[in-house]
Amino acid sequence: MPITTPTTAPTASSRRAELAAFLRLRRERIAPQDVGLPAGPRRRTPGLRREEVAERAGVGVAWYTWLEQGRAINPSVQVLDAIARALLLAPAERDHLHRLADVPGAAPPPAAPQPPAVALPPEAQTILDSLSPLPAGLVGARYDVLAFNDAYAALDPRMVVLPPADRNVLWRIFTADEETQPLVDWEREASFMVGYLRGEFGRRIGDPHWRAYIRKLSDASPLFAELWARHEVSAPATHRKKFRTVYGNEVTITATGFTTTAAPGTKMWIYTPADADAAGAIEELLCRYREIGAAGMVAEAAAARRTGTP
């Protein structure tokens, strides 16, 4: 079976379907009061009406309806920007809208379909190791963990004991049980990561590897499927997050992502301790990792849970 590419008709149809769903869900999230309109007693659906969006954007109601229905029409950059303003889209959402509409010159070209494997430059591991004791890892656009240093492994040794092909952050957090879940603020972090994934997917709608990945996650986790169906888009940003260590302690870090030109589509995430307590906790985890390894830490933590010892 031939691989579908971004220029084939099936991909164009898929792109229009994504655009239609995105517009509808963004319209439904806006309360009339948010844009200075009365709520009114007779609204049967959430959010704005199509005619209200069309009026705010300065386009015809029928034309906007066709766009939201996924019909094959060609909006200009100016019209898309007007719709983005009408729907109160954030910059990342506006860029996503441009990509889905496939307007020439409106956004960078979509990424070509390719296998998930990414060739890393030989110096990547040296750079990661030099950042220790700060946890640092190279993560692909699908949240595949491609490389990491000892401090990163110490912070989540359960990730490290997985086979390399299975090391994926989203798979880890959406399939973990309560005892092995590494994220404390799960809902906030999961929503943020799925929103970033949605934006990256917009660049690769014709990629069969990505579509298979989304199906696999959706089948494995109803929670992922629910978040994915929201069509929310987010941009990577420096933010604080809390990890639950393998021993059950909480560690607060600041996550900062850096784009790597040597490995397109990947980011280097560096975790900076939020305070002295977090720095000390990471140092202790790192020492333990270097003493007994990831598998040893996982086994030690499991034994402690069974016996009820700290």
Side-chain angles (χ1 to χ4, degrees):
M1 180 180 296
I3 293 177
T4 303
T5 67
T7 58
T8 60
T11 299
S13 176
S14 299
R15 190 181 301 281
R16 290 196 299 271
E18 289 280 330
L19 174 62
F22 179 69
L23 289 173
R24 176 177 57 80
L25 290 167
R26 298 288 73 74
R27 172 172 60 82
E28 291 178 352
R29 76 176 180 179
I30 302 175
Q33 305 92 303
D34 294 340
V35 293
L37 295 173
R42 297 183 178 179
R43 289 184 178 268
R44 298 179 180 178
T45 58
L48 299 181
R49 299 186 179 102
R50 285 173 176 169
E51 56 266 30
E52 290 169 336
V53 175
E55 182 178 355
R56 283 174 50 79
V59 300
V61 176
W63 186 91
Y64 177 78
T65 299
W66 294 339
L67 189 65
E68 199 172 289
Q69 289 175 342
R71 298 197 189 186
I73 55 179
N74 299 309
S76 67
V77 175
Q78 292 75 16
V79 168
L80 289 175
D81 285 343
I83 292 173
R85 290 191 294 270
L87 293 174
L88 307 179
L89 299 187
E93 295 173 317
R94 177 182 56 80
D95 293 344
H96 186 63
L97 174 66
H98 284 180
R99 284 192 292 271
L100 294 182
D102 200 23
V103 177
Q114 55 184 272
V118 175
L120 296 179
E123 66 273 13
Q125 190 62 54
T126 302
I127 295 171
L128 292 172
D129 291 340
S130 70
L131 292 168
S132 195
L134 297 182
L138 276 175
V139 180
R142 301 188 326 173
Y143 283 98
D144 294 307
V145 179
L146 308 173
F148 48 85
N149 62 12
D150 286 357
Y152 186 102
L155 195 58
D156 188 10
R158 291 189 180 95
M159 176 75 79
V160 178
V161 298
L162 295 173
D166 295 337
R167 291 172 185 162
N168 180 275
V169 177
L170 287 178
W171 184 263
R172 169 88 172 85
I173 68 170
F174 277 103
T175 60
D177 56 28
E178 186 175 352
E179 286 188 347
T180 61
Q181 176 58 245
L183 295 179
V184 177
D185 301 321
W186 185 91
E187 185 172 353
R188 179 174 65 88
E189 288 298 321
S191 297
F192 168 81
M193 286 189 280
V194 173
Y196 174 72
L197 186 74
R198 172 64 75 173
E200 291 297 318
F201 177 74
R203 306 175 190 269
R204 303 167 173 85
I205 289 177
D207 191 326
H209 303 289
W210 271 71
R211 287 195 169 277
Y213 170 69
I214 299 301
R215 284 195 301 271
K216 181 180 178 181
L217 268 174
S218 298
D219 291 343
S221 171
L223 288 172
F224 173 83
E226 178 184 341
L227 289 175
W228 184 253
R230 296 177 186 175
H231 283 258
E232 293 178 349
V233 179
S234 58
T238 298
H239 63 290
R240 281 199 173 191
K241 60 195 302 183
K242 287 184 179 181
F243 277 97
R244 184 177 292 105
T245 74
V246 69
Y247 300 111
N249 304 319
E250 293 184 7
V251 176
T252 303
I253 57 90
T254 298
T256 307
F258 298 89
T259 301
T260 60
T261 56
T266 68
K267 288 189 180 299
M268 180 178 290
W269 285 97
I270 302 173
Y271 299 152
T272 306
D275 50 37
D277 289 341
I282 291 174
E283 190 68 44
E284 289 179 7
L285 289 168
L286 178 58
C287 290
R288 197 60 181 151
Y289 173 77
R290 288 173 172 169
E291 288 174 0
I292 63 175
M297 292 176 72
V298 173
E300 186 175 65
R305 287 198 305 273
R306 286 194 302 268
T307 60
T309 58

